[in-house]
Amino acid sequence: MTRDTEEAEQGIFGRRFRWVTVGMLTLILLSAFEALAVTTVMPTISAELDGATLYALAFSGPLAIGVVGMVVAGNWSDRAGPKRALYTSVACFGGGLVIAGLAYSMPVLVIGRLISGLGGGGMTVALFVLVARVFPTRLHPKVFAAFAAAWVVPSLVGPLIGGIVAQTVGWRWVFLGVVVLVVLAAAMVVPVMGQFPTVVTGQPWKVSRILWSLVAAAAVLAASLAGQVSGPLVWVVAVGAVVVAIVALRPLLPPGALRAAAGLPTIIVLRGLVAGAYFATETYLPYFFTSQYGLTPAVAGLALSVAGVSWAGASWAQGKYSERISDVASIRLGIGLVLLAVLAVLGCSVWGLPPAIAIVGWLFAGAGMGAMYPRLSVAMLRLSTPSNQGFNSSALSISDSTGAAIALALTAAIFVSLGFTGCFVLSAVLAMFALSLAGRAKS
């Protein structure tokens, strides 16, 4: 029995991997929790700091600047291993939380959010590279299934905990409390990082890519703010931002990605298309339920909760049975379930079907994401080499973020004239396009 086989049989929580696994999962969980909890407390923060004019920027800014963190961390990991990139990203993430927690004005809080967003984007990429360097290939599906679950669990409890913290000890502890846990989580990862001496591989700093990432970040930010513009200008801002973002993305993705070349380029593109289809629908679901059916916010949020549960369950299942189903089959299944769910929501919008159909449908959307998202990550690493794991990991994360942001920008423009139905049609088109490309994910 080889060492890799023996370690794979122990699992990701075996003696060798236990603490690094717990540390990585905790870092991801805290990043997701912070993003979701802030959604709950931001109205309180805005009222106290008189920050209504910067309210949208506090959300879109971290997403946009995270693209820069992804590119820098990916380049740094390919150049000198993941150690320094991860340490720096964690420091930025924690430092940004401290600034936001101690903010005395809304501009200062936004600065803190930008710094934490920069670190969060870099942290995700560095952790992907760490998985490739530490875990045997056979364990990658289980690691990414656990990553997916770590992202989903906060969606169930993050808003509630954030609200309780804000009402009891104050909103500042939504940020400051996470910092303490970030330090503890990072400490669990430190021992394994000693395996990676900082040796420059000869890979140069890709300054042009970093500059393009800044352009892409600005375009994503403009796209995210398109909904703030009134009148016909909303289309000018949205479409213009999308065009600039696509042009800027070209050097940040593998060659052939924008034309969906077979193998790795298609895997990267699929991540962005599915993210756009899923999140463009999910963002409007609570609004759709409350305005069209008169449901309470708690009941409207049920669809998101059931999707979170099914996402975690499907992630676990695909990790456990990953050797019994191919990457392409799992990806097709996942996209198909997301498309089915979007069509169920669209049917409710067009024909006024009972809201239970959309809620149950969105359960399948979560299952589809859980079946597919981890497999896209596994396939990406399998088609990467140690010299480009950082670049490809950052490309996958960039496609994810920008795909969702661009779709949301377009829905902001569509909603003005076509309402919910137009938004859900866009999501269905994106999902169908992704399904048509799924076969090209096979290398």
Side-chain angles (χ1 to χ4, degrees):
M1 181 181 292
T2 65
R3 181 181 179 185
D4 279 0
T5 302
E6 182 179 353
E7 290 173 344
E9 289 184 352
Q10 293 179 8
I12 63 176
F13 292 103
R15 181 168 52 87
R16 171 173 166 77
F17 303 117
R18 182 178 302 127
W19 288 112
V20 67
T21 298
V22 172
M24 290 193 302
L25 292 179
T26 304
L27 286 173
I28 290 177
L29 187 147
L30 292 173
S31 177
F33 169 81
E34 188 267 343
L36 291 161
V38 168
T39 303
T40 303
V41 302
M42 190 57 74
T44 302
I45 296 172
S46 178
E48 182 175 324
L49 301 181
D50 191 23
T53 57
L54 296 176
Y55 190 91
L57 185 59
F59 289 103
S60 57
L63 176 66
I65 201 68
V67 174
V68 181
M70 294 168 190
V71 172
V72 173
N75 194 172
W76 204 350
S77 296
D78 287 339
R79 177 178 168 80
K83 181 166 65 174
R84 288 185 176 178
L86 181 60
Y87 288 165
T88 303
S89 297
V90 171
C92 285
F93 180 65
L97 294 178
V98 172
I99 294 172
L102 300 177
Y104 57 86
S105 67
M106 196 66 172
V108 174
L109 184 131
V110 170
I111 290 173
R113 293 276 289 156
L114 291 174
I115 295 174
S116 66
L118 181 69
M123 189 166 63
T124 300
V125 172
L127 288 174
F128 273 40
V129 178
L130 187 61
V131 170
R133 304 290 175 89
V134 172
F135 293 87
T137 302
R138 289 181 60 187
L139 285 181
H140 288 178
K142 292 184 178 180
V143 176
F144 286 114
F147 276 16
W151 271 106
V152 170
V153 170
S155 70
L156 304 177
V157 299
L160 175 62
I161 293 177
I164 293 174
V165 170
Q167 291 175 7
T168 54
V169 296
W171 63 264
R172 296 181 183 276
W173 286 100
V174 172
F175 299 101
L176 299 178
V178 171
V179 175
V180 177
L181 298 177
V182 167
V183 173
L184 294 176
M188 298 178 193
V189 179
V190 167
V192 77
M193 299 306 288
Q195 301 175 17
F196 305 107
T198 304
V199 178
V200 177
T201 62
Q203 287 273 3
W205 279 107
K206 306 293 186 181
V207 178
S208 62
R209 286 179 182 166
I210 296 174
L211 293 176
W212 278 116
S213 73
L214 289 169
V215 175
V220 169
L221 182 56
S224 301
L225 294 175
Q228 307 295 317
V229 181
S230 59
L233 279 179
V234 67
W235 283 104
V236 176
V237 174
V239 175
V242 167
V243 172
V244 173
I246 291 175
V247 172
L249 283 175
R250 188 172 182 276
L252 305 181
L253 305 179
L258 295 184
R259 55 183 174 83
L264 180 65
T266 291
I267 289 169
I268 299 297
V269 170
L270 286 176
R271 186 67 165 249
L273 288 172
V274 177
Y278 181 88
F279 291 108
T281 301
E282 186 178 66
T283 299
Y284 284 92
L285 269 182
Y287 188 16
F288 175 63
F289 287 142
T290 55
S291 64
Q292 301 300 304
Y293 292 98
L295 301 182
T296 65
V299 175
L302 179 62
L304 279 60
S305 296
V306 298
V309 173
S310 62
W311 188 329
S315 295
W316 172 85
Q318 72 80 32
K320 183 175 179 62
Y321 302 107
S322 60
E323 296 182 359
R324 301 184 184 182
I325 182 172
S326 68
D327 288 341
V328 171
S330 185
I331 291 168
R332 276 180 172 154
L333 173 63
I335 298 174
L337 290 174
V338 171
L339 175 58
L340 177 66
V342 173
L343 292 176
V345 175
L346 178 59
C348 290
S349 178
V350 174
W351 294 300
L353 303 176
I357 293 177
I359 294 175
V360 173
W362 212 240
L363 177 96
F364 288 99
M369 296 296 278
M372 172 184 47
Y373 250 45
R375 294 305 285 269
L376 289 171
S377 300
V378 170
M380 178 274 295
L381 284 184
R382 180 169 46 78
L383 296 174
S384 303
T385 65
S387 65
N388 65 13
Q389 287 166 345
F391 172 74
N392 291 340
S393 295
S394 69
L396 192 72
S397 298
I398 289 168
S399 179
D400 194 352
S401 295
T402 55
I406 288 173
L408 286 170
L410 293 175
T411 56
I414 291 172
F415 187 76
V416 174
S417 54
L418 300 177
F420 294 110
T421 298
C423 296
F424 300 148
V425 166
L426 173 66
S427 294
V429 170
L430 291 175
M432 286 188 285
F433 185 40
L435 189 59
S436 71
L437 296 177
R440 301 176 64 82
K442 185 176 181 179
S443 59

